[in-house]
Amino acid sequence: MDADDLVQRAEHLLDLWSALSMQHVALGAGCGCGVGGISLRLDDFELDIVDYLGDAGTRSDVPEVAMFFTALQKSAEEGASMGSRAQPLRRLLDQARRERLPASVAEWLLPKVEKTLRSYAELHGPKLED
């Protein structure tokens, strides 16, 4: 995959996440936004998505990917103690869009993010174009 393809894919995923993140999560038969005063949106799961990607990344067979995500997790742990883990998925996608991720990391990351976001979209989001 060339750099332009990675940039376009990252832009598409950033747009998709922006649209999805504001959707309410359906719990069971209805929307979770009124159940017991709890309001859940997909962006409430952003840290979970990035934690999943980070765990998979540290176990990657691609050394550059494993090193990147090991460093990212260490940075996130330090940032969490200072309260700065805001919008990590958006940050990763923006870095890919701006070509600030190593190519091997972007090539590994973007298909996994796409699969995850498509899954969320099928359950909770707008109809996707193939």
Side-chain angles (χ1 to χ4, degrees), residues 24-41 124:
H24 286 95
V25 177
L27 299 176
C31 180
C33 57
V35 178
I38 297 172
S39 179
L40 294 176
R41 291 189 326 214
H124 308 289

Side-chain angles (χ1 to χ4, degrees), residues 1-14 93 96-99 103 106-107 109-111 114:
M1 191 177 307
D2 72 14
D4 287 339
D5 290 338
L6 290 173
V7 168
Q8 289 177 353
R9 195 169 192 180
E11 285 178 355
H12 170 73
L13 292 172
L14 191 55
L93 292 172
R97 181 178 62 90
R98 294 174 186 258
E99 300 182 74
E107 289 174 7
L109 175 71
L110 295 179
E114 183 170 17

Side-chain angles (χ1 to χ4, degrees), residues 17 40-56 73 85 88-89 116 120:
W17 177 245
L40 294 176
R41 291 189 326 214
L42 285 177
D43 70 346
D44 293 325
F45 297 95
E46 187 167 0
L47 288 175
D48 294 327
I49 293 168
V50 172
D51 286 345
Y52 160 76
L53 293 168
D55 288 342
Q73 285 183 338
R85 281 192 73 186
L89 183 58
T116 300
Y120 274 100

Side-chain angles (χ1 to χ4, degrees), residues 32-97:
C33 57
V35 178
I38 297 172
S39 179
L40 294 176
R41 291 189 326 214
L42 285 177
D43 70 346
D44 293 325
F45 297 95
E46 187 167 0
L47 288 175
D48 294 327
I49 293 168
V50 172
D51 286 345
Y52 160 76
L53 293 168
D55 288 342
T58 60
R59 294 187 311 271
S60 172
D61 293 334
V62 181
E64 192 170 22
V65 171
M67 289 187 315
F68 175 85
F69 281 99
T70 298
L72 184 67
Q73 285 183 338
K74 183 177 180 183
S75 174
E77 289 169 6
E78 292 169 358
S81 66
M82 294 183 271
S84 66
R85 281 192 73 186
Q87 302 183 332
L89 183 58
R90 286 177 181 87
R91 195 173 322 113
L92 278 174
L93 292 172
D94 187 55
Q95 288 174 335
R97 181 178 62 90

